[in-house]
Amino acid sequence: MAKIIAKFQRYFRRKPVRFFTFIVLYLTAGSVVFLHASFEGEHIVSDSDKTLVDGTSDRGDLQEPGAAQLSRVFKEAPESPSTPRRYGPWFKTSGKESLERSKQGEFGGTWNRALKGRAMREQEEGRAKYIGCYMDDTRQRALRGVSFFDYKKMTVFRCQDNCAERGYMYAGLEFGAECYCGHKIKALNVSESECNMECKGEKNNMCGGVNRLSIYRLELTQESARRYGSAIFRGCFRRPDNISLALPVRNIMLNMSVDKCVDFCTEKEYPLAVLAGTVCHCAFPTTYFTLHEREDEQLCAQKCTGEEFESCGTPDYFIVYQTQVQDNRCMDRRFLPNRTKQLIALASFPGAGNTWARHLIELATGFYTGSYYFDGSLYNKGFKGERDHWRNGRTICIKTHESGRKEIESFDAAVLLIRNPYKALMAEFNRKYGGHIGFASQAHWKGKEWPEFVSNYAPWWATHTLDWLKYGKNVLVVHFEDLKQDLFIQLKRMINILGLPVLADRLLCVEGQKDGNFKRSGLRKLEYDPYTADMRKMISNYIRTVDAALKLRNLSGVPEDYYPR
């Protein structure tokens, strides 16, 4: 026996590739056997499955702590008496009926996995309710709001959160990777067995099927953008001076309604629907019509002729809605045509909004941003500069969280993004334990992880800014809060330091596309203040230190809302 083992050792030592191939095949065979065993056998509901259905299971460890753990699925909407029961064996049926269904294979295969997935999700706390599986049509969508795809990491919660952030009432998932939002469902309800495709990012949940949507009704916990259907209310604005240039398309509608004007402009492929009494205008935001100077809404308060409870503006003051048409004037991006020798940092403490700032810069300039690191998830979301080495010179600026003299002096200039430390620390803690758009679990917040994190990261928030102010060359300080409040002005400042011309129409386009897909909000917010009195005292001292350092360099200090609390 020893001789045989020795021969095997010599053989694999000479052929290491074959050894690793043997190991891979062995593991693969084991995985197949495991999966086969988990999906076959008698269709009997175990005690653990019953607790899952009842929502009383404590098996929270079955899912990852990121977005998968936060998926939201609730019990099925009530059926009409005429609808046959088609769920699982935990429903009361006669023995004969159960036997017939078992023979027909109704509870086997994909259908059984779908029920398992739903049962696991029903146990979770949440603010979205699953309402059923619906037909979809690529030519006439069931949900007609915004949409986005992720063919690697789509989850139920991610779709719900993106739709909730934009104020939609419904979120629907299709083909395992596609997310659609809307305020109305314009489709027929179909059998649950037709929504049989697992989500790409969480194998225990169903994300629709082929031309089938798994739809959830969202119960929002925060005030979202005001909407009418799928259109976003932008406000009341004075009639522009050169109306023919500002609003190039018009249509007289004697029976005017918001719906009609929005549908008309959507059909004409314009992102703005402008209501002026009985005239519907369509436009892009331009320097002729910037939407920067809102008027009192009472000036637009004239009822629509075809809709009793909505305002349609007047000949002098216009009501503006943003349609779901994407403004493509700022969507093109590419690498720099000529490699640059000047390295410009986009520096921030983690959690300060660096990814969002990159999104804005790429839209505003049309050039990719790079990174000091490599993040595959960001690369998959369209940040193509992520794969380039940071010294390559093909990107317009370089994301970095580094501090310390040597790293900082590697750059020729920098945009230093600073955010309220209370918000930044929570954002980075969520990212660390839940991914870019996920959330840390309650166990992490309540356990030892959060106090240790604050103790280690709060001093870094201060030293990061102090180091960049001390060692950085040509540093432009931008506060995250100012960027949110006055995006147009702050983006102009950032583009200037990048050495590029400011294109006003392109910046106006960015304002309509500013959110991106890396916002962590909507359905799940921490419902208590995680900061203790000692934590607040420590962080307040760091805030005062940074504020003094900024003022010492004749810069404006930190915004007032940084202070507690």
Side-chain angles (χ1 to χ4, degrees):
M1 187 68 183
K3 290 182 179 180
I4 295 174
I5 295 173
K7 286 182 179 179
F8 267 95
Q9 288 177 339
R10 287 197 299 272
Y11 177 75
F12 283 125
R13 195 177 295 121
R14 290 195 297 268
K15 305 286 186 179
V17 173
R18 292 185 183 180
F19 174 71
F20 287 116
T21 303
F22 174 77
I23 294 297
V24 169
L25 290 173
Y26 176 78
L27 293 175
T28 302
S31 300
V32 170
V33 171
F34 175 78
L35 291 172
H36 181 73
S38 65
F39 290 134
E40 288 199 351
E42 293 182 35
H43 302 296
I44 297 173
V45 181
S46 65
D47 291 339
S48 60
D49 284 336
K50 287 177 182 176
T51 61
L52 287 170
V53 174
D54 293 335
T56 58
S57 170
D58 60 356
R59 292 168 60 189
D61 58 333
L62 289 175
Q63 296 190 16
E64 295 178 1
Q69 187 175 354
L70 303 173
S71 57
R72 304 289 196 252
V73 183
F74 281 73
K75 292 185 178 179
E76 184 68 36
E79 292 181 67
S80 63
S82 61
T83 307
R85 295 184 185 276
R86 55 179 192 274
Y87 299 96
W90 49 81
F91 286 94
K92 291 182 180 178
T93 58
S94 66
K96 184 178 180 181
E97 287 175 343
S98 297
L99 181 61
E100 288 176 357
R101 288 182 182 178
S102 181
K103 286 178 180 178
Q104 293 168 1
E106 183 176 349
F107 304 126
T110 304
W111 177 240
N112 192 41
R113 294 199 300 274
L115 291 173
K116 269 184 161 182
R118 177 182 302 171
M120 292 182 70
R121 296 173 308 206
E122 283 178 356
Q123 68 176 317
E124 297 177 350
E125 176 190 3
R127 299 185 179 91
K129 182 175 182 179
Y130 180 75
I131 61 172
C133 182
Y134 287 79
M135 294 179 63
D136 197 22
D137 187 334
T138 55
R139 292 171 297 180
Q140 200 76 357
R141 290 292 181 187
L143 296 174
R144 301 179 186 176
V146 299
S147 63
F148 73 97
F149 311 145
D150 189 336
Y151 290 98
K152 287 193 174 182
K153 295 186 178 180
M154 178 62 74
T155 66
V156 172
F157 177 73
R158 184 183 176 198
C159 179
Q160 292 172 351
D161 194 53
N162 273 273
C163 293
E165 171 62 25
R166 290 157 177 78
Y168 287 101
M169 292 178 63
Y170 298 100
L173 295 108
E174 182 173 332
F175 207 65
E178 301 175 2
C179 175
Y180 297 89
C181 311
H183 275 281
K184 297 177 183 178
I185 303 173
K186 300 185 178 181
L188 297 174
N189 191 207
V190 296
S191 168
E192 287 299 307
S193 60
E194 297 183 35
C195 285
N196 54 14
M197 297 186 72
E198 291 183 332
C199 305
K200 297 295 185 182
E202 51 183 349
K203 295 302 182 184
N204 291 324
N205 279 341
M206 293 296 144
C207 283
V210 178
N211 292 330
R212 295 294 183 266
L213 279 167
S214 300
I215 296 184
Y216 302 79
R217 182 168 65 243
L218 308 176
E219 299 173 12
L220 306 184
T221 61
Q222 64 179 33
E223 185 177 342
S224 298
R226 285 174 54 188
R227 290 178 176 270
Y228 186 90
S230 62
I232 302 172
F233 178 78
R234 296 295 299 270
C236 174
F237 299 89
R238 186 187 297 272
R239 174 191 174 103
D241 294 332
N242 196 331
I243 194 167
S244 60
L245 288 176
L247 310 174
V249 175
R250 68 191 299 269
N251 187 27
I252 296 175
M253 297 180 176
L254 298 179
N255 198 26
M256 170 70 87
S257 70
V258 176
D259 254 342
K260 289 179 180 177
C261 187
V262 168
D263 288 347
F264 172 74
C265 294
T266 300
E267 184 180 340
K268 296 292 184 183
E269 298 187 347
Y270 281 90
L272 298 182
V274 183
L275 293 82
T278 57
V279 180
C280 173
H281 299 275
C282 307
F284 288 93
T286 64
T287 51
Y288 298 106
F289 196 52
T290 63
L291 305 185
H292 287 166
E293 297 179 8
R294 292 177 62 157
E295 302 286 350
D296 189 328
E297 287 183 35
Q298 291 300 315
L299 297 172
C300 291
Q302 178 173 298
K303 289 182 179 179
C304 302
T305 53
E307 197 168 26
E308 183 178 357
F309 300 107
E310 293 292 335
S311 298
C312 279
T314 71
D316 294 317
Y317 291 92
F318 299 168
I319 289 284
V320 179
Y321 284 88
Q322 184 171 320
T323 73
Q324 291 305 307
V325 174
Q326 189 173 61
D327 188 345
N328 289 319
R329 295 175 299 168
C330 58
M331 300 307 291
D332 61 299
R333 287 171 293 171
R334 62 192 187 280
F335 289 103
L336 292 172
N338 301 308
R339 295 179 189 267
T340 179
K341 293 182 179 180
Q342 185 181 40
L343 297 176
I344 302 177
L346 178 60
S348 73
F349 175 78
N354 199 304
T355 300
W356 180 55
R358 290 178 67 185
H359 165 76
L360 297 176
I361 290 171
E362 290 194 2
L363 293 185
T365 65
F367 294 113
Y368 289 122
T369 58
S371 177
Y372 195 82
Y373 322 98
F374 171 71
D375 188 328
S377 67
L378 293 181
Y379 179 83
N380 290 331
K381 303 302 182 298
F383 290 95
K384 300 303 181 186
E386 194 76 17
R387 184 171 282 181
D388 269 29
H389 187 274
W390 66 279
R391 287 185 178 275
N392 196 299
R394 295 202 305 163
T395 53
I396 193 64
C397 63
I398 310 297
K399 164 190 173 176
T400 181
H401 299 311
E402 298 299 308
S403 55
R405 181 171 184 170
K406 181 179 177 181
E407 289 78 8
I408 292 172
E409 289 183 345
S410 301
F411 294 94
D412 302 297
V415 175
L416 177 59
L417 191 63
I418 304 175
R419 187 181 186 184
N420 184 327
Y422 291 102
K423 300 287 182 65
L425 289 168
M426 291 177 70
E428 175 59 11
F429 189 72
N430 276 320
R431 188 207 64 79
K432 184 175 181 180
Y433 290 101
H436 279 289
I437 57 172
F439 292 83
S441 68
Q442 289 293 327
H444 289 127
W445 289 105
K446 300 277 190 182
K448 64 179 183 179
E449 291 91 344
W450 172 241
E452 289 179 356
F453 178 87
V454 173
S455 177
N456 292 328
Y457 276 67
W460 183 18
W461 176 84
T463 58
H464 182 276
T465 298
L466 296 176
D467 282 355
W468 277 94
L469 292 175
K470 183 176 181 180
Y471 302 119
K473 295 169 277 188
N474 190 19
V475 176
L476 172 70
V477 174
V478 175
H479 291 284
F480 175 87
E481 294 75 17
D482 293 340
L483 186 59
K484 284 185 66 177
Q485 186 71 29
D486 198 350
L487 185 143
F488 194 88
I489 297 299
Q490 297 301 325
L491 258 184
K492 284 176 68 175
R493 296 176 64 220
M494 294 162 75
I495 294 171
N496 281 331
I497 199 172
L498 296 176
L500 296 175
V502 176
L503 304 177
D505 282 357
R506 190 162 184 123
L507 288 186
L508 291 167
C509 170
V510 175
E511 287 185 317
Q513 321 281 336
K514 64 183 179 182
D515 286 344
N517 288 321
F518 287 91
K519 294 191 69 176
R520 187 183 286 108
S521 55
L523 291 173
R524 177 156 172 163
K525 295 183 70 176
L526 205 61
E527 296 181 355
Y528 63 92
D529 186 349
Y531 292 100
T532 65
D534 287 341
M535 290 178 183
R536 288 195 291 270
K537 182 178 179 181
M538 173 182 66
I539 294 171
S540 294
N541 287 332
Y542 292 137
I543 291 173
R544 282 189 281 270
T545 301
V546 169
D547 183 63
L550 290 169
K551 290 176 178 176
L552 189 64
R553 289 159 178 78
N554 296 319
L555 301 170
S556 60
V558 300
E560 290 182 4
D561 65 356
Y562 281 29
Y563 287 100
R565 293 242 342 161

